[in-house]
Amino acid sequence: MEPINQHSLLVFVLVGFSFCILVEARITSRYVRRVNDNVDMPMDSGAFYVPPGYNAPQQVHITQGDYEGTAVIVSWITPSEPGTSIVLYGPEESKYTYAASGIMTKYKYYNYTSGFIHHCTLRNLEFDTKYFYKLGIGSTTREFHFTTSPAVGPNVPYTFGIIGDLGQTYDSNKTLQHYLKTNGQTLLYVGDLSYADDYPFHDNRRWDTWGRLIEKSAAYQPWIWTAGNHEIDLDPEIGEPYPFIPYSHRYHVPYQSSGSTTPFWYSIKRASAYIIVLASYSAFALQSRNPVIQRFGKQASAMEFLK
């Protein structure tokens, strides 16, 4: 989970969980997490802070929104009613020059119904610029900020963090707190997010607690998403025959900007890094006779987006 300061970085992320990084790099710390029992934090833990105010936006996270870093996807949930999918933003704090309108979705899984999930893409951003953004309406609004990456080039210093299998244990919180103390600018997330599927009936409330857990970082810098086996969430025995339903609704990625046809296989450029995301667990769908499931694996034989 160490940040990587790099020049001319190629990142190849293949979740199953193999990943390889070819890089001129250095170790930035010797942090080793103490071995404890992997016990999940209770639902009312302060790590899962719920923002005050009626229908306040929560679980805010951002990711790169295009191929080369001039766009950002902002995602969040309003728990009680739709609210608005508009994001106000600009380069000056509390002075929002621009507005972008997004989309809203929701889903059901077994006996759970999600809140209202919003995704909004901020486009035509300047490189290497700090932006402030505002979510919500009326008296219940929240403000955050992020900094875009430098322009793509062969010799652009940039610092990435890498985390996978985070979950929501007490140690998960320690890992995240450690990362917040580093100089990481963008996080490469290599799969297995909430571990909600470890609970009876894939308790989707644990997707909500996880979203609130990571907000302290993911609302302020891009997390580049890859799906792992714990995101499959396919369980026909409880009436859920389709894979990746919670993950696909909650975490959007810019797959179309690289010419991909599925969010599980895509590539982006960021500073001097070329990042290739290949979620190998989506390929299992090729063995299914269900055409809805098959569409999640069809990219396995089509790598045009890598060109």
Side-chain angles (χ1 to χ4, degrees), residues 3-302:
I4 297 173
N5 188 282
Q6 57 76 45
H7 300 264
S8 300
L9 171 67
L10 169 65
V11 179
F12 177 76
V13 181
L14 174 60
V15 172
F17 288 108
S18 319
F19 65 93
C20 132
I21 302 170
L22 305 176
V23 59
E24 295 176 26
R26 59 186 177 85
I27 296 174
T28 57
S29 76
R30 294 287 181 181
Y31 172 75
V32 178
R33 191 173 72 182
R34 186 165 58 92
V35 177
N36 287 329
D37 290 335
N38 258 345
V39 178
D40 278 358
M41 293 178 286
M43 297 280 288
D44 60 356
S45 168
F48 306 139
Y49 170 77
V50 178
Y54 174 73
N55 209 40
Q58 60 171 262
Q59 305 175 50
V60 182
H61 56 272
I62 65 173
T63 193
Q64 185 160 312
D66 66 352
Y67 187 55
E68 294 194 341
T70 60
V72 164
I73 299 172
V74 182
S75 302
W76 70 98
I77 288 179
T78 48
S80 303
E81 59 181 74
T84 178
S85 297
I86 294 175
V87 177
L88 304 179
Y89 65 103
E92 296 184 63
E93 187 172 8
S94 300
K95 295 182 180 180
Y96 302 105
T97 312
Y98 309 106
S101 182
I103 61 171
M104 187 275 291
T105 186
K106 62 185 307 184
Y107 71 92
K108 293 184 177 181
Y109 190 97
Y110 187 58
N111 61 354
Y112 169 89
T113 300
S114 75
F116 300 89
I117 305 169
H118 305 262
H119 303 284
C120 182
T121 303
L122 315 184
R123 304 183 188 277
N124 301 314
L125 304 175
E126 298 291 332
F127 286 117
D128 205 13
T129 301
K130 186 172 185 178
Y131 285 90
F132 299 85
Y133 66 101
K134 182 178 181 179
L135 310 174
I137 56 176
S139 59
T140 309
T141 59
R142 301 184 68 198
E143 300 179 61
F144 305 89
H145 59 79
F146 62 84
T147 300
T148 54
S149 68
V152 172
N155 296 297
V156 183
Y158 200 72
T159 304
F160 290 91
I162 299 178
I163 295 179
D165 293 87
L166 185 61
Q168 44 195 298
T169 68
Y170 289 97
D171 281 344
S172 305
N173 196 34
K174 292 177 183 177
T175 296
L176 187 56
Q177 293 297 332
H178 172 72
Y179 178 67
L180 289 169
K181 296 175 183 177
T182 72
N183 62 342
Q185 296 169 279
T186 287
L187 189 132
L188 307 177
Y189 197 92
V190 296
D192 288 357
L193 284 67
S194 71
Y195 280 78
D197 64 330
D198 279 354
Y199 284 82
F201 311 113
H202 301 239
D203 188 350
N204 272 230
R205 295 177 301 167
R206 283 294 180 174
W207 278 100
D208 293 319
T209 52
W210 196 81
R212 294 196 294 270
L213 172 68
I214 67 165
E215 183 187 84
K216 58 182 67 73
S217 172
Y220 297 94
Q221 64 172 256
W223 283 36
I224 308 303
W225 299 109
T226 313
N229 62 306
H230 285 278
E231 281 70 72
I232 295 173
D233 282 309
L234 183 150
D235 194 342
E237 292 184 0
I238 62 171
E240 296 297 340
Y242 304 131
F244 302 108
I245 295 299
Y247 173 81
S248 295
H249 279 81
R250 292 170 181 268
Y251 295 94
H252 281 196
V253 297
Y255 69 95
Q256 292 174 314
S257 65
S258 61
S260 175
T261 58
T262 168
F264 306 105
W265 309 73
Y266 67 99
S267 62
I268 60 172
K269 294 181 178 180
R270 193 165 185 87
S272 51
Y274 183 34
I275 300 165
I276 301 168
V277 175
L278 304 175
S280 64
Y281 283 101
S282 66
F284 85 97
L286 289 174
Q287 300 176 22
S288 171
R289 295 182 179 181
N290 189 313
V292 178
I293 298 178
Q294 287 177 349
R295 68 189 175 93
F296 289 98
K298 66 182 179 181
Q299 190 68 22
S301 60

